[in-house]
């Protein structure tokens, strides 16, 4: 991004436990300077993940601290630690998309597609809006999920309104049984057709 674009980028440190999501003073947002630097002030101790809201064509690619991507792996802030994070933005576009069909192989009018990590340790403690957990609406049989980080995922198509409690551990465990496993490489686009209720 240009220096002018950088000043419109907002970097947010989100509580990994999700509890403080509705408390702005515990969810500090900092503005990036024209030279690309940013600094928090009065950051409270706790476990955080880094979030950057999309801006135009730019989106968060990774946020590294000591070589670890802390956009979906929590890091600890304490009185003794002063972590430095390198945030990388990208204007590259990639997605997982496809058609969702019913048991008769007909495209469904509406529904939802849920994708989440195959690693169950990543189902909790990743903030209120984890990068690796997405719920997409199906419109006229089609769905699309943009910008998933590389890794191994489970993906399942569900009827409309079926995923109101989609971040529940019990529900994720239930859906994992019938989900399709998919491995995404870095910045990889995939076409994956699904059948409502699980499986391809």
């Amino acid at each position: 991004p240009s220096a002018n674009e950088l000043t419109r980028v907002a970097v947010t440190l989100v509580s990994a436990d999700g509890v403080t999501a509705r408390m702005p003073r515990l969810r500090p947002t900092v503005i990036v300077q024209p030279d690309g630097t940013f600094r928090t002030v009065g950051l409270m101790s706790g476990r955080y993940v880094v979030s950057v809201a999309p801006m135009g064509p730019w989106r968060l690619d990774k946020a590294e601290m000591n070589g670890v991507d802390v956009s979906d792996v929590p890091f600890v802030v304490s009185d003794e630690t002063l972590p430095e994070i390198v945030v990388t933005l990208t204007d590259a576009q990639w997605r997982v998309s496809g058609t969702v069909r019913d048991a008769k192989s007909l495209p469904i009018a509406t529904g939802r597609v849920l994708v989440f990590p195959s690693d169950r340790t990543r189902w909790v403690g990743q903030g209120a809006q984890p990068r690796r957990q997405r719920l997409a609406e199906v419109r006229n049989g089609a769905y699309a999920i943009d910008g998933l980080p590389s890794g191994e995922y489970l993906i399942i198509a569900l009827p409309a309104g079926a995923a109101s409690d989609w971040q529940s551990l019990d529900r994720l465990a239930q859906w994992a049984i019938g989900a399709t496993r998919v491995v995404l490489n870095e910045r990889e686009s995939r076409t994956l057709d699904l059948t409502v209720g699980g499986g391809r």
Side-chain angles (χ1 to χ4, degrees):
S2 66
N4 182 55
E5 287 175 316
L6 283 174
T7 62
R8 301 201 303 272
V9 174
V11 178
T12 304
L13 275 70
V14 182
S15 172
D17 61 17
V19 174
T20 59
R22 294 181 299 276
M23 303 173 66
R25 72 182 186 86
L26 299 181
R27 189 180 57 183
T29 298
V30 293
I31 302 301
V32 179
Q33 301 302 310
D35 64 357
T37 62
F38 63 91
R39 181 184 300 273
T40 63
V41 177
L43 183 64
M44 298 186 67
S45 298
R47 297 170 68 249
Y48 294 89
V49 292
V50 175
S51 175
V52 178
M55 184 201 67
W58 299 100
R59 72 172 77 180
L60 176 63
D61 190 11
K62 54 189 174 181
E64 294 181 297
M65 184 174 69
N66 298 324
V68 176
D69 187 349
V70 292
S71 64
D72 56 15
V73 175
F75 65 95
V76 176
V77 172
S78 68
D79 294 338
E80 291 77 30
T81 61
L82 295 172
E84 183 171 296
I85 297 170
V86 178
V87 173
T88 302
L89 304 178
T90 180
D91 59 355
Q93 302 295 315
W94 69 96
R95 59 174 40 185
V96 175
S97 60
T99 301
V100 179
R101 304 179 188 275
D102 61 20
K104 297 180 179 179
S105 297
L106 298 175
I108 65 173
T110 61
R112 290 176 166 181
V113 170
L114 174 64
V115 60
F116 53 102
S118 62
D119 181 357
R120 297 189 178 213
T121 65
R122 288 179 176 263
W123 292 1
V124 295
Q126 311 293 307
Q129 296 179 317
R131 289 185 73 198
R132 296 177 183 270
Q133 295 181 25
R134 306 283 188 86
L135 184 66
E137 298 293 331
V138 177
R139 306 291 186 193
N140 298 319
Y143 78 95
I145 300 172
D146 293 324
L148 285 168
S150 60
E152 184 175 278
Y153 293 89
L154 298 173
I155 185 167
I156 188 169
L158 302 166
S164 58
D165 57 345
W166 65 277
Q167 288 183 305
S168 160
L169 290 180
D170 290 341
R171 296 293 278 167
L172 289 176
Q174 176 185 349
W175 288 323
I177 297 171
T180 296
R181 190 177 301 266
V182 58
V183 176
L184 299 179
N185 297 315
E186 186 174 2
R187 301 185 183 183
E188 180 183 16
S189 288
R190 291 281 295 275
T191 298
L192 188 64
D193 294 338
L194 303 168
T195 301
V196 174
R200 297 192 182 191

